[in-house]
Amino acid sequence: MILLSTLMIAIMAIPAGAYTIYLKDGSRLIAKEKHRIEDGKAIIVLQNGTRTFIEASEIDVARTEKANLGDYGTALVLEDGLLVEAQIKPTQQKQQRLTDVASKPESGALTRPQSRRQATAAPNLSQPLSENGTVDLTTFPRAPYSEMEISAEATRFLRTLGVESVQMYQGSDSSRAFLEITTNSEAAVFRSLDAAADTLLHLLNRYPDRIQSLEILMFTSDRDRAGQFHLTREAAVALADNEVDTSEFFIQHVQF
């Protein structure tokens, strides 16, 4: 299990030459270089070298160009306890440990407040529950997500954000999808949470009234549990707009 005491959030500048692409639905992609347009498609090379594409019309051109002035992209920088985006120079780099954030009184980490969570429908009592009364996704039945179009789009979008090892199943009720993600480092946990937030907003924009939230279970490759979450629209907006630090979100919303 990835323990809270050993988790570290890397507040890193995007490597020199990286290119941040903003989409009109509010989500973003981090590319290795500026995309090129071919036949109405934006051809994108991700940081890991994977080539993908999206419709060029989905890109927020003005915001993308502004964010990439100087061709250095953007970075996540800690200011007054929150992660905010800033234009960067190639040499900019900063780290902060999650334990440092958790130790701050204003973070609320020591008491793990529940005020950010939205009320959810009562789970089926026949389903195994975790210690805090939520559905235990480790033993939850895996059934293919009922809407193949949404499942395919979610998987595709997550992979454009660098989340490669992901499966999508039916959630604990019809309005939820269940994502199982393999994460092998502390940084990957936070990266996957941010990617899931961007993906949920993308799905809500494209498929209104057909999906409402995501249930997320993260494992390491050794099948050690790395975190379980219920991601709502409100929480996704907070993460995508940097209204809440990803490390603080983890502490406040993790369900195990």
Side-chain angles (χ1 to χ4, degrees):
M1 179 184 294
I2 298 178
L3 299 178
L4 283 177
S5 60
T6 61
L7 282 172
M8 180 179 69
I9 179 170
I11 305 172
M12 299 179 293
I14 295 167
Y19 195 84
T20 306
I21 302 171
Y22 285 94
L23 306 186
K24 292 176 180 177
D25 63 13
S27 57
R28 62 184 180 270
L29 306 175
I30 305 301
K32 197 170 185 179
E33 58 193 23
K34 185 173 182 178
H35 58 282
R36 68 178 189 276
I37 305 297
E38 292 183 3
D39 298 325
K41 308 287 186 184
I43 309 302
I44 300 168
V45 180
L46 301 177
Q47 284 288 297
N48 61 6
T50 301
R51 293 181 179 271
T52 187
F53 68 89
I54 59 174
E55 296 294 332
S57 59
E58 294 183 33
I59 296 176
D60 185 334
V61 176
R63 189 178 182 189
T64 297
E65 291 181 350
K66 181 179 179 181
N68 292 281
L69 292 175
D71 293 329
Y72 299 133
T74 59
L76 297 180
V77 179
L78 192 66
E79 291 184 0
D80 298 325
L82 296 177
L83 283 175
V84 298
E85 284 187 321
Q87 293 172 3
I88 62 172
K89 296 182 180 180
T91 56
Q92 185 177 342
Q93 188 167 356
K94 184 179 180 181
Q95 274 193 342
Q96 176 169 315
R97 290 187 179 277
L98 178 56
T99 50
D100 295 333
V101 177
S103 66
K104 295 179 180 179
E106 64 271 18
S107 73
L110 299 180
T111 58
R112 294 183 59 182
Q114 305 298 311
S115 60
R116 291 182 182 270
R117 293 185 182 173
Q118 290 184 335
T120 58
N124 185 334
L125 295 180
S126 65
Q127 299 168 353
L129 302 181
S130 64
E131 292 181 0
N132 63 1
T134 59
V135 174
D136 187 350
L137 296 178
T138 59
T139 55
F140 188 75
R142 270 58 170 169
Y145 190 66
S146 58
E147 298 210 42
M148 293 181 62
E149 180 185 0
I150 295 178
S151 178
E153 179 62 17
T155 302
R156 180 196 71 81
F157 198 80
L158 282 162
R159 286 173 177 162
T160 67
L161 296 173
V163 180
E164 298 288 342
S165 184
V166 58
Q167 298 292 329
M168 188 168 181
Y169 303 105
Q170 191 64 46
S172 61
D173 70 42
S174 59
S175 68
R176 304 179 184 182
F178 166 23
L179 297 180
E180 184 173 303
I181 302 173
T182 301
T183 55
N184 284 317
S185 70
E186 298 92 344
V189 171
F190 296 106
R191 200 161 50 239
S192 296
L193 277 174
D194 288 332
D198 286 341
T199 300
L200 177 58
L201 294 178
H202 175 70
L203 295 176
L204 290 170
N205 181 66
R206 179 164 289 195
Y207 307 105
D209 303 322
R210 292 169 64 183
I211 184 171
Q212 297 300 318
S213 61
L214 296 176
E215 293 173 310
I216 303 167
L217 179 63
M218 298 189 198
F219 279 116
T220 68
S221 56
D222 294 329
R223 302 303 290 175
D224 290 326
R225 193 167 179 169
Q228 175 177 315
F229 307 87
H230 178 216
L231 190 63
T232 63
R233 177 194 293 269
E234 179 185 54
V237 169
L239 280 171
D241 289 349
N242 299 320
E243 294 174 4
V244 61
D245 182 282
T246 311
S247 62
E248 292 180 1
F249 180 91
F250 181 100
I251 293 168
Q252 295 167 4
H253 293 266
V254 68
Q255 294 180 340
F256 72 83

